[in-house]
Amino acid sequence: MKLKRIIALSLSAATLALSLTACGGSSSAASDNAQASDSNSGDAVTVKLGVVGSIYEDLWTPAKEKLADEGIDLEFVQFSDYVTPNNALANGEIDLNAFQHRIYLQSEIDNYGYEIENIGNTFIIPLNLYSDKVKSVDELKDGDTVAIPDDVTNGGRALKVLEAAGLIKIKDSAEFNPTIDDIETYNTKITIEELKANVIPSTLADVTAAVVNGNYALDFGLKTEDAIYKDDRLDIEEYWNLIAARSADLEDADKLETYKKVVAAFQSDETEKVFNDQFGGYFIKAGWDQDLLADK
């Protein structure tokens, strides 16, 4: 498992889980202008899928194998940042991408006017609370320090985790992504310290507890069973990761049929087995019962 090359998702992340303001970079791998189309020989249909991080190739391996049996060659196109894949998709350099959650996609659409959309949900990465000093949330006491990510998306989600754990109460008037200023009550008078998400795992020895992004927890060797509180807010659809396509392509009957097969191939028992067996439950299927292409 190529854990050291894992990139944040929440996108996990959290993945995902990076700030909605992520920017920059490009990918030479996406320079080819490739849309889902038959080869000259009329054999396999090639679908170029944009991803960020080799972990996605592991997650998509069962789907790739299944699609090959159906005459579809799923080709991975790696990107080094989180802005370029949507630009490449909108420009027709790739056919689909799968790296982001709903909040991030909507922010990209709002900022750049992309005519791209979610065609299938993939997974959610829980945002868990870890500690090297205490064994349960009940052991946290007044004056203890709890670290959370300092970016808007992950920070807001982390505060919701602390609320679900019973440590704080967020104001009813808070926006979807609350901030520390939106805390109405400290049930336990903890000190919340905002840090860069990627450095939080290495600070566990210096704080009492910390909310750690799933990808960084994986990279740091933290296991889900080690969490002192497990994120159970997995029904928040804005945090679900997805597969995106150009809206115009969904008007092409042949491409639409191909993309339906791609979604179905990912949303399979074999993929869920990879989630559980290879990644120890850090990826949890989300929204597979929603047929987003039913009316296309």
Side-chain angles (χ1 to χ4, degrees):
M1 182 170 59
K2 313 180 188 77
L3 297 181
K4 291 300 179 182
R5 291 178 285 169
I6 293 171
I7 304 294
L9 297 165
S10 131
L11 289 136
S12 217
T15 278
L16 316 192
L18 284 180
S19 169
L20 296 182
T21 57
C23 61
S26 63
S27 172
S28 60
S31 61
D32 295 331
N33 182 13
Q35 298 180 354
S37 59
D38 290 332
S39 65
N40 292 333
S41 63
D43 294 330
V45 173
T46 297
V47 175
K48 291 202 169 187
L49 177 71
V51 296
V52 181
S54 60
I55 192 171
Y56 277 93
E57 298 187 22
D58 295 330
L59 296 173
W60 277 85
T61 292
K64 180 178 176 66
E65 293 172 350
K66 182 174 182 179
L67 290 168
D69 292 338
E70 300 185 49
I72 299 172
D73 177 19
L74 187 67
E75 180 179 333
F76 301 119
V77 180
Q78 283 286 349
F79 292 87
S80 60
D81 66 85
Y82 289 87
V83 175
T84 313
N86 282 330
N87 183 269
L89 177 59
N91 290 333
E93 297 170 9
I94 56 177
D95 303 302
L96 304 171
N97 69 40
F99 73 98
Q100 62 195 322
H101 52 44
R102 291 185 177 191
I103 296 177
Y104 187 77
L105 173 60
Q106 189 58 53
S107 72
E108 289 275 280
I109 293 172
D110 293 343
N111 289 332
Y112 302 107
Y114 294 142
E115 295 184 357
I116 60 180
E117 59 189 89
N118 178 13
I119 64 169
N121 301 306
T122 54
F123 56 79
I124 185 170
I125 304 178
L127 202 62
N128 295 329
L129 182 65
Y130 292 89
S131 176
D132 285 346
K133 295 183 172 64
V134 299
K135 299 298 183 182
S136 72
V137 172
D138 294 338
E139 294 181 31
L140 291 172
K141 60 185 185 302
D142 294 354
D144 284 343
T145 299
V146 177
I148 68 170
D150 66 356
D151 61 273
V152 174
T153 303
N154 295 308
R157 187 179 175 192
L159 290 175
K160 293 177 183 179
V161 170
L162 298 183
E163 181 178 53
L167 295 170
I168 62 173
K169 170 67 172 65
I170 298 172
K171 298 175 183 176
D172 293 337
S173 60
E175 299 291 336
F176 180 79
N177 286 317
T179 68
I180 290 178
D181 292 337
D182 292 315
I183 297 175
E184 181 175 87
T185 305
Y186 285 84
N187 298 326
T188 301
K189 294 180 175 57
I190 56 174
T191 298
I192 297 177
E193 185 172 354
E194 297 176 288
L195 301 172
K196 297 297 181 185
N198 62 326
V199 306
I200 287 180
S202 63
T203 65
L204 277 173
D206 303 315
V207 297
T208 313
V211 178
V212 183
N213 290 47
N215 60 307
Y216 294 127
L218 267 171
D219 200 27
F220 205 73
L222 298 173
K223 300 178 180 179
T224 54
E225 56 264 32
D226 295 334
I228 64 170
Y229 183 81
K230 294 181 181 179
D231 179 12
D232 61 357
R233 301 287 304 278
L234 305 180
D235 59 344
I236 302 177
E237 297 187 11
E238 288 86 350
Y239 296 135
W240 292 355
N241 282 47
L242 57 90
I243 305 165
R246 284 184 297 280
S247 299
D249 282 351
L250 302 181
E251 300 176 5
D252 182 309
D254 291 336
K255 291 182 179 180
L256 177 60
E257 186 62 28
T258 296
Y259 294 168
K260 285 182 177 180
K261 292 179 180 178
V262 171
V263 173
F266 184 85
Q267 295 177 348
S268 69
D269 292 341
E270 291 79 11
T271 299
E272 188 174 10
K273 183 175 176 61
V274 171
F275 289 173
N276 296 329
D277 295 352
Q278 190 169 341
F279 293 104
Y282 270 108
F283 297 90
I284 297 175
K285 71 176 186 179
W288 287 13
D289 59 338
Q290 294 184 358
D291 187 353
L292 302 179
L293 295 176
D295 298 328
K296 299 295 182 180

